[in-house]
mmCIF file with all atom_site columns, all heavy atoms in Angstrom:
data_model
loop_
_atom_site.group_PDB
_atom_site.id
_atom_site.type_symbol
_atom_site.label_atom_id
_atom_site.label_alt_id
_atom_site.label_comp_id
_atom_site.label_asym_id
_atom_site.label_entity_id
_atom_site.label_seq_id
_atom_site.pdbx_PDB_ins_code
_atom_site.Cartn_x
_atom_site.Cartn_y
_atom_site.Cartn_z
_atom_site.occupancy
_atom_site.B_iso_or_equiv
_atom_site.pdbx_formal_charge
_atom_site.auth_seq_id
_atom_site.auth_comp_id
_atom_site.auth_asym_id
_atom_site.auth_atom_id
_atom_site.pdbx_PDB_model_num
ATOM 1   N N   . ALA X 1 177 ? 94.999  3.016   57.698 1.00 96.00 ? 1624 ALA X N   1
ATOM 2   C CA  . ALA X 1 177 ? 95.212  3.584   59.032 1.00 96.00 ? 1624 ALA X CA  1
ATOM 3   C C   . ALA X 1 177 ? 93.924  3.576   59.852 1.00 96.00 ? 1624 ALA X C   1
ATOM 4   O O   . ALA X 1 177 ? 93.944  3.264   61.051 1.00 96.00 ? 1624 ALA X O   1
ATOM 5   C CB  . ALA X 1 177 ? 95.755  5.010   58.901 1.00 96.00 ? 1624 ALA X CB  1
ATOM 6   N N   . ALA X 1 178 ? 92.806  3.911   59.211 1.00 96.00 ? 1625 ALA X N   1
ATOM 7   C CA  . ALA X 1 178 ? 91.526  3.862   59.921 1.00 96.00 ? 1625 ALA X CA  1
ATOM 8   C C   . ALA X 1 178 ? 91.210  2.430   60.353 1.00 96.00 ? 1625 ALA X C   1
ATOM 9   O O   . ALA X 1 178 ? 90.669  2.204   61.446 1.00 96.00 ? 1625 ALA X O   1
ATOM 10  C CB  . ALA X 1 178 ? 90.412  4.414   59.040 1.00 96.00 ? 1625 ALA X CB  1
ATOM 11  N N   . GLY X 1 179 ? 91.560  1.464   59.503 1.00 96.00 ? 1626 GLY X N   1
ATOM 12  C CA  . GLY X 1 179 ? 91.360  0.066   59.858 1.00 96.00 ? 1626 GLY X CA  1
ATOM 13  C C   . GLY X 1 179 ? 92.168  -0.345  61.079 1.00 96.00 ? 1626 GLY X C   1
ATOM 14  O O   . GLY X 1 179 ? 91.695  -1.132  61.913 1.00 96.00 ? 1626 GLY X O   1
ATOM 15  N N   . VAL X 1 180 ? 93.379  0.198   61.200 1.00 97.00 ? 1627 VAL X N   1
ATOM 16  C CA  . VAL X 1 180 ? 94.210  -0.095  62.371 1.00 97.00 ? 1627 VAL X CA  1
ATOM 17  C C   . VAL X 1 180 ? 93.533  0.408   63.646 1.00 97.00 ? 1627 VAL X C   1
ATOM 18  O O   . VAL X 1 180 ? 93.433  -0.317  64.649 1.00 97.00 ? 1627 VAL X O   1
ATOM 19  C CB  . VAL X 1 180 ? 95.604  0.557   62.215 1.00 97.00 ? 1627 VAL X CB  1
ATOM 20  C CG1 . VAL X 1 180 ? 96.388  0.493   63.527 1.00 97.00 ? 1627 VAL X CG1 1
ATOM 21  C CG2 . VAL X 1 180 ? 96.391  -0.125  61.099 1.00 97.00 ? 1627 VAL X CG2 1
ATOM 22  N N   . VAL X 1 181 ? 93.063  1.653   63.615 1.00 97.00 ? 1628 VAL X N   1
ATOM 23  C CA  . VAL X 1 181 ? 92.394  2.223   64.795 1.00 97.00 ? 1628 VAL X CA  1
ATOM 24  C C   . VAL X 1 181 ? 91.150  1.409   65.144 1.00 97.00 ? 1628 VAL X C   1
ATOM 25  O O   . VAL X 1 181 ? 90.936  1.046   66.311 1.00 97.00 ? 1628 VAL X O   1
ATOM 26  C CB  . VAL X 1 181 ? 91.996  3.696   64.536 1.00 97.00 ? 1628 VAL X CB  1
ATOM 27  C CG1 . VAL X 1 181 ? 91.300  4.280   65.777 1.00 97.00 ? 1628 VAL X CG1 1
ATOM 28  C CG2 . VAL X 1 181 ? 93.212  4.526   64.192 1.00 97.00 ? 1628 VAL X CG2 1
ATOM 29  N N   . PHE X 1 182 ? 90.339  1.120   64.136 1.00 96.00 ? 1629 PHE X N   1
ATOM 30  C CA  . PHE X 1 182 ? 89.088  0.404   64.383 1.00 96.00 ? 1629 PHE X CA  1
ATOM 31  C C   . PHE X 1 182 ? 89.345  -1.000  64.933 1.00 96.00 ? 1629 PHE X C   1
ATOM 32  O O   . PHE X 1 182 ? 88.662  -1.443  65.860 1.00 96.00 ? 1629 PHE X O   1
ATOM 33  C CB  . PHE X 1 182 ? 88.281  0.338   63.090 1.00 96.00 ? 1629 PHE X CB  1
ATOM 34  C CG  . PHE X 1 182 ? 86.892  -0.201  63.260 1.00 96.00 ? 1629 PHE X CG  1
ATOM 35  C CD1 . PHE X 1 182 ? 85.962  0.482   64.014 1.00 96.00 ? 1629 PHE X CD1 1
ATOM 36  C CD2 . PHE X 1 182 ? 86.525  -1.402  62.662 1.00 96.00 ? 1629 PHE X CD2 1
ATOM 37  C CE1 . PHE X 1 182 ? 84.666  -0.014  64.184 1.00 96.00 ? 1629 PHE X CE1 1
ATOM 38  C CE2 . PHE X 1 182 ? 85.240  -1.900  62.821 1.00 96.00 ? 1629 PHE X CE2 1
ATOM 39  C CZ  . PHE X 1 182 ? 84.305  -1.213  63.576 1.00 96.00 ? 1629 PHE X CZ  1
ATOM 40  N N   . ALA X 1 183 ? 90.328  -1.684  64.371 1.00 96.00 ? 1630 ALA X N   1
ATOM 41  C CA  . ALA X 1 183 ? 90.629  -3.042  64.831 1.00 96.00 ? 1630 ALA X CA  1
ATOM 42  C C   . ALA X 1 183 ? 91.103  -3.037  66.287 1.00 96.00 ? 1630 ALA X C   1
ATOM 43  O O   . ALA X 1 183 ? 90.711  -3.901  67.088 1.00 96.00 ? 1630 ALA X O   1
ATOM 44  C CB  . ALA X 1 183 ? 91.697  -3.672  63.935 1.00 96.00 ? 1630 ALA X CB  1
ATOM 45  N N   . LEU X 1 184 ? 91.935  -2.072  66.640 1.00 94.00 ? 1631 LEU X N   1
ATOM 46  C CA  . LEU X 1 184 ? 92.420  -1.990  68.023 1.00 94.00 ? 1631 LEU X CA  1
ATOM 47  C C   . LEU X 1 184 ? 91.284  -1.690  68.995 1.00 94.00 ? 1631 LEU X C   1
ATOM 48  O O   . LEU X 1 184 ? 91.216  -2.253  70.088 1.00 94.00 ? 1631 LEU X O   1
ATOM 49  C CB  . LEU X 1 184 ? 93.516  -0.932  68.135 1.00 94.00 ? 1631 LEU X CB  1
ATOM 50  C CG  . LEU X 1 184 ? 94.864  -1.290  67.508 1.00 94.00 ? 1631 LEU X CG  1
ATOM 51  C CD1 . LEU X 1 184 ? 95.813  -0.096  67.561 1.00 94.00 ? 1631 LEU X CD1 1
ATOM 52  C CD2 . LEU X 1 184 ? 95.481  -2.490  68.231 1.00 94.00 ? 1631 LEU X CD2 1
ATOM 53  N N   . ARG X 1 185 ? 90.378  -0.793  68.598 1.00 93.00 ? 1632 ARG X N   1
ATOM 54  C CA  . ARG X 1 185 ? 89.251  -0.477  69.476 1.00 93.00 ? 1632 ARG X CA  1
ATOM 55  C C   . ARG X 1 185 ? 88.316  -1.676  69.623 1.00 93.00 ? 1632 ARG X C   1
ATOM 56  O O   . ARG X 1 185 ? 87.834  -1.959  70.728 1.00 93.00 ? 1632 ARG X O   1
ATOM 57  C CB  . ARG X 1 185 ? 88.479  0.730   68.938 1.00 93.00 ? 1632 ARG X CB  1
ATOM 58  C CG  . ARG X 1 185 ? 89.079  2.057   69.282 1.00 93.00 ? 1632 ARG X CG  1
ATOM 59  C CD  . ARG X 1 185 ? 89.203  2.278   70.789 1.00 93.00 ? 1632 ARG X CD  1
ATOM 60  N NE  . ARG X 1 185 ? 87.902  2.355   71.437 1.00 93.00 ? 1632 ARG X NE  1
ATOM 61  C CZ  . ARG X 1 185 ? 87.659  1.875   72.644 1.00 93.00 ? 1632 ARG X CZ  1
ATOM 62  N NH1 . ARG X 1 185 ? 88.598  1.251   73.328 1.00 93.00 ? 1632 ARG X NH1 1
ATOM 63  N NH2 . ARG X 1 185 ? 86.449  2.003   73.186 1.00 93.00 ? 1632 ARG X NH2 1
ATOM 64  N N   . LEU X 1 186 ? 88.053  -2.384  68.529 1.00 93.00 ? 1633 LEU X N   1
ATOM 65  C CA  . LEU X 1 186 ? 87.200  -3.560  68.640 1.00 93.00 ? 1633 LEU X CA  1
ATOM 66  C C   . LEU X 1 186 ? 87.857  -4.621  69.514 1.00 93.00 ? 1633 LEU X C   1
ATOM 67  O O   . LEU X 1 186 ? 87.182  -5.312  70.286 1.00 93.00 ? 1633 LEU X O   1
ATOM 68  C CB  . LEU X 1 186 ? 86.903  -4.138  67.252 1.00 93.00 ? 1633 LEU X CB  1
ATOM 69  C CG  . LEU X 1 186 ? 85.919  -3.364  66.373 1.00 93.00 ? 1633 LEU X CG  1
ATOM 70  C CD1 . LEU X 1 186 ? 85.571  -4.177  65.137 1.00 93.00 ? 1633 LEU X CD1 1
ATOM 71  C CD2 . LEU X 1 186 ? 84.651  -2.992  67.128 1.00 93.00 ? 1633 LEU X CD2 1
ATOM 72  N N   . GLY X 1 187 ? 89.182  -4.750  69.389 1.00 92.00 ? 1634 GLY X N   1
ATOM 73  C CA  . GLY X 1 187 ? 89.894  -5.685  70.253 1.00 92.00 ? 1634 GLY X CA  1
ATOM 74  C C   . GLY X 1 187 ? 89.750  -5.313  71.716 1.00 92.00 ? 1634 GLY X C   1
ATOM 75  O O   . GLY X 1 187 ? 89.570  -6.184  72.582 1.00 92.00 ? 1634 GLY X O   1
ATOM 76  N N   . ALA X 1 188 ? 89.815  -4.028  72.004 1.00 90.00 ? 1635 ALA X N   1
ATOM 77  C CA  . ALA X 1 188 ? 89.659  -3.569  73.386 1.00 90.00 ? 1635 ALA X CA  1
ATOM 78  C C   . ALA X 1 188 ? 88.229  -3.799  73.878 1.00 90.00 ? 1635 ALA X C   1
ATOM 79  O O   . ALA X 1 188 ? 88.007  -4.182  75.031 1.00 90.00 ? 1635 ALA X O   1
ATOM 80  C CB  . ALA X 1 188 ? 90.019  -2.083  73.478 1.00 90.00 ? 1635 ALA X CB  1
ATOM 81  N N   . ILE X 1 189 ? 87.244  -3.566  72.993 1.00 89.00 ? 1636 ILE X N   1
ATOM 82  C CA  . ILE X 1 189 ? 85.839  -3.682  73.390 1.00 89.00 ? 1636 ILE X CA  1
ATOM 83  C C   . ILE X 1 189 ? 85.428  -5.134  73.603 1.00 89.00 ? 1636 ILE X C   1
ATOM 84  O O   . ILE X 1 189 ? 84.791  -5.474  74.612 1.00 89.00 ? 1636 ILE X O   1
ATOM 85  C CB  . ILE X 1 189 ? 84.932  -3.021  72.329 1.00 89.00 ? 1636 ILE X CB  1
ATOM 86  C CG1 . ILE X 1 189 ? 85.178  -1.513  72.280 1.00 89.00 ? 1636 ILE X CG1 1
ATOM 87  C CG2 . ILE X 1 189 ? 83.459  -3.306  72.617 1.00 89.00 ? 1636 ILE X CG2 1
ATOM 88  C CD1 . ILE X 1 189 ? 84.573  -0.834  71.063 1.00 89.00 ? 1636 ILE X CD1 1
ATOM 89  N N   . PHE X 1 190 ? 85.779  -6.000  72.660 1.00 90.00 ? 1637 PHE X N   1
ATOM 90  C CA  . PHE X 1 190 ? 85.259  -7.370  72.686 1.00 90.00 ? 1637 PHE X CA  1
ATOM 91  C C   . PHE X 1 190 ? 86.239  -8.404  73.251 1.00 90.00 ? 1637 PHE X C   1
ATOM 92  O O   . PHE X 1 190 ? 85.813  -9.466  73.695 1.00 90.00 ? 1637 PHE X O   1
ATOM 93  C CB  . PHE X 1 190 ? 84.837  -7.794  71.273 1.00 90.00 ? 1637 PHE X CB  1
ATOM 94  C CG  . PHE X 1 190 ? 83.650  -7.028  70.756 1.00 90.00 ? 1637 PHE X CG  1
ATOM 95  C CD1 . PHE X 1 190 ? 83.813  -6.022  69.825 1.00 90.00 ? 1637 PHE X CD1 1
ATOM 96  C CD2 . PHE X 1 190 ? 82.385  -7.308  71.221 1.00 90.00 ? 1637 PHE X CD2 1
ATOM 97  C CE1 . PHE X 1 190 ? 82.722  -5.308  69.341 1.00 90.00 ? 1637 PHE X CE1 1
ATOM 98  C CE2 . PHE X 1 190 ? 81.280  -6.607  70.760 1.00 90.00 ? 1637 PHE X CE2 1
ATOM 99  C CZ  . PHE X 1 190 ? 81.445  -5.599  69.817 1.00 90.00 ? 1637 PHE X CZ  1
ATOM 100 N N   . LEU X 1 191 ? 87.537  -8.089  73.198 1.00 86.00 ? 1638 LEU X N   1
ATOM 101 C CA  . LEU X 1 191 ? 88.528  -9.054  73.686 1.00 86.00 ? 1638 LEU X CA  1
ATOM 102 C C   . LEU X 1 191 ? 89.222  -8.607  74.963 1.00 86.00 ? 1638 LEU X C   1
ATOM 103 O O   . LEU X 1 191 ? 90.038  -9.333  75.519 1.00 86.00 ? 1638 LEU X O   1
ATOM 104 C CB  . LEU X 1 191 ? 89.585  -9.312  72.595 1.00 86.00 ? 1638 LEU X CB  1
ATOM 105 C CG  . LEU X 1 191 ? 89.059  -9.840  71.259 1.00 86.00 ? 1638 LEU X CG  1
ATOM 106 C CD1 . LEU X 1 191 ? 90.203  -9.984  70.262 1.00 86.00 ? 1638 LEU X CD1 1
ATOM 107 C CD2 . LEU X 1 191 ? 88.329  -11.167 71.450 1.00 86.00 ? 1638 LEU X CD2 1
ATOM 108 N N   . GLY X 1 192 ? 88.912  -7.386  75.401 1.00 81.00 ? 1639 GLY X N   1
ATOM 109 C CA  . GLY X 1 192 ? 89.509  -6.886  76.634 1.00 81.00 ? 1639 GLY X CA  1
ATOM 110 C C   . GLY X 1 192 ? 90.982  -6.532  76.509 1.00 81.00 ? 1639 GLY X C   1
ATOM 111 O O   . GLY X 1 192 ? 91.709  -6.566  77.504 1.00 81.00 ? 1639 GLY X O   1
ATOM 112 N N   . LEU X 1 193 ? 91.435  -6.211  75.300 1.00 77.00 ? 1640 LEU X N   1
ATOM 113 C CA  . LEU X 1 193 ? 92.837  -5.830  75.134 1.00 77.00 ? 1640 LEU X CA  1
ATOM 114 C C   . LEU X 1 193 ? 93.125  -4.539  75.893 1.00 77.00 ? 1640 LEU X C   1
ATOM 115 O O   . LEU X 1 193 ? 92.318  -3.622  75.909 1.00 77.00 ? 1640 LEU X O   1
ATOM 116 C CB  . LEU X 1 193 ? 93.153  -5.620  73.644 1.00 77.00 ? 1640 LEU X CB  1
ATOM 117 C CG  . LEU X 1 193 ? 93.008  -6.830  72.722 1.00 77.00 ? 1640 LEU X CG  1
ATOM 118 C CD1 . LEU X 1 193 ? 93.364  -6.425  71.295 1.00 77.00 ? 1640 LEU X CD1 1
ATOM 119 C CD2 . LEU X 1 193 ? 93.883  -7.976  73.185 1.00 77.00 ? 1640 LEU X CD2 1
ATOM 120 N N   . HIS X 1 194 ? 94.267  -4.486  76.514 1.00 75.00 ? 1641 HIS X N   1
ATOM 121 C CA  . HIS X 1 194 ? 94.690  -3.251  77.194 1.00 75.00 ? 1641 HIS X CA  1
ATOM 122 C C   . HIS X 1 194 ? 96.197  -3.238  77.300 1.00 75.00 ? 1641 HIS X C   1
ATOM 123 O O   . HIS X 1 194 ? 96.869  -4.259  77.110 1.00 75.00 ? 1641 HIS X O   1
ATOM 124 C CB  . HIS X 1 194 ? 94.050  -3.133  78.577 1.00 75.00 ? 1641 HIS X CB  1
ATOM 125 C CG  . HIS X 1 194 ? 94.373  -4.280  79.498 1.00 75.00 ? 1641 HIS X CG  1
ATOM 126 N ND1 . HIS X 1 194 ? 95.571  -4.383  80.188 1.00 75.00 ? 1641 HIS X ND1 1
ATOM 127 C CD2 . HIS X 1 194 ? 93.669  -5.407  79.827 1.00 75.00 ? 1641 HIS X CD2 1
ATOM 128 C CE1 . HIS X 1 194 ? 95.568  -5.501  80.916 1.00 75.00 ? 1641 HIS X CE1 1
ATOM 129 N NE2 . HIS X 1 194 ? 94.444  -6.127  80.704 1.00 75.00 ? 1641 HIS X NE2 1
ATOM 130 N N   . LEU X 1 195 ? 96.734  -2.098  77.603 1.00 72.00 ? 1642 LEU X N   1
ATOM 131 C CA  . LEU X 1 195 ? 98.174  -1.958  77.757 1.00 72.00 ? 1642 LEU X CA  1
ATOM 132 C C   . LEU X 1 195 ? 98.622  -2.658  79.045 1.00 72.00 ? 1642 LEU X C   1
ATOM 133 O O   . LEU X 1 195 ? 97.829  -2.787  79.986 1.00 72.00 ? 1642 LEU X O   1
ATOM 134 C CB  . LEU X 1 195 ? 98.569  -0.478  77.808 1.00 72.00 ? 1642 LEU X CB  1
ATOM 135 C CG  . LEU X 1 195 ? 98.284  0.329   76.542 1.00 72.00 ? 1642 LEU X CG  1
ATOM 136 C CD1 . LEU X 1 195 ? 98.618  1.796   76.775 1.00 72.00 ? 1642 LEU X CD1 1
ATOM 137 C CD2 . LEU X 1 195 ? 99.109  -0.197  75.377 1.00 72.00 ? 1642 LEU X CD2 1
ATOM 138 N N   . PRO X 1 196 ? 99.894  -3.101  79.110 1.00 71.00 ? 1643 PRO X N   1
ATOM 139 C CA  . PRO X 1 196 ? 100.374 -3.688  80.365 1.00 71.00 ? 1643 PRO X CA  1
ATOM 140 C C   . PRO X 1 196 ? 100.272 -2.688  81.516 1.00 71.00 ? 1643 PRO X C   1
ATOM 141 O O   . PRO X 1 196 ? 100.553 -1.495  81.340 1.00 71.00 ? 1643 PRO X O   1
ATOM 142 C CB  . PRO X 1 196 ? 101.861 -3.992  80.033 1.00 71.00 ? 1643 PRO X CB  1
ATOM 143 C CG  . PRO X 1 196 ? 101.918 -4.057  78.560 1.00 71.00 ? 1643 PRO X CG  1
ATOM 144 C CD  . PRO X 1 196 ? 100.910 -3.089  78.048 1.00 71.00 ? 1643 PRO X CD  1
ATOM 145 N N   . ARG X 1 197 ? 99.815  -3.153  82.634 1.00 65.00 ? 1644 ARG X N   1
ATOM 146 C CA  . ARG X 1 197 ? 99.664  -2.308  83.816 1.00 65.00 ? 1644 ARG X CA  1
ATOM 147 C C   . ARG X 1 197 ? 100.774 -2.620  84.802 1.00 65.00 ? 1644 ARG X C   1
ATOM 148 O O   . ARG X 1 197 ? 101.325 -3.730  84.799 1.00 65.00 ? 1644 ARG X O   1
ATOM 149 C CB  . ARG X 1 197 ? 98.285  -2.507  84.424 1.00 65.00 ? 1644 ARG X CB  1
ATOM 150 C CG  . ARG X 1 197 ? 97.216  -1.901  83.509 1.00 65.00 ? 1644 ARG X CG  1
ATOM 151 C CD  . ARG X 1 197 ? 95.839  -2.408  83.788 1.00 65.00 ? 1644 ARG X CD  1
ATOM 152 N NE  . ARG X 1 197 ? 94.919  -1.882  82.782 1.00 65.00 ? 1644 ARG X NE  1
ATOM 153 C CZ  . ARG X 1 197 ? 93.669  -2.276  82.650 1.00 65.00 ? 1644 ARG X CZ  1
ATOM 154 N NH1 . ARG X 1 197 ? 93.197  -3.191  83.467 1.00 65.00 ? 1644 ARG X NH1 1
ATOM 155 N NH2 . ARG X 1 197 ? 92.894  -1.754  81.723 1.00 65.00 ? 1644 ARG X NH2 1
ATOM 156 N N   . PRO X 1 198 ? 101.102 -1.656  85.680 1.00 62.00 ? 1645 PRO X N   1
ATOM 157 C CA  . PRO X 1 198 ? 102.234 -1.864  86.605 1.00 62.00 ? 1645 PRO X CA  1
ATOM 158 C C   . PRO X 1 198 ? 102.141 -3.183  87.389 1.00 62.00 ? 1645 PRO X C   1
ATOM 159 O O   . PRO X 1 198 ? 103.147 -3.867  87.578 1.00 62.00 ? 1645 PRO X O   1
ATOM 160 C CB  . PRO X 1 198 ? 102.115 -0.648  87.539 1.00 62.00 ? 1645 PRO X CB  1
ATOM 161 C CG  . PRO X 1 198 ? 101.499 0.406   86.683 1.00 62.00 ? 1645 PRO X CG  1
ATOM 162 C CD  . PRO X 1 198 ? 100.527 -0.319  85.795 1.00 62.00 ? 1645 PRO X CD  1
#
Side-chain angles (χ1 to χ4, degrees):
V1627 169
V1628 180
F1629 188 65
L1631 288 174
R1632 278 301 294 144
L1633 286 189
I1636 294 167
F1637 293 104
L1638 302 177
L1640 297 180
H1641 59 80
L1642 296 175
R1644 290 162 186 171

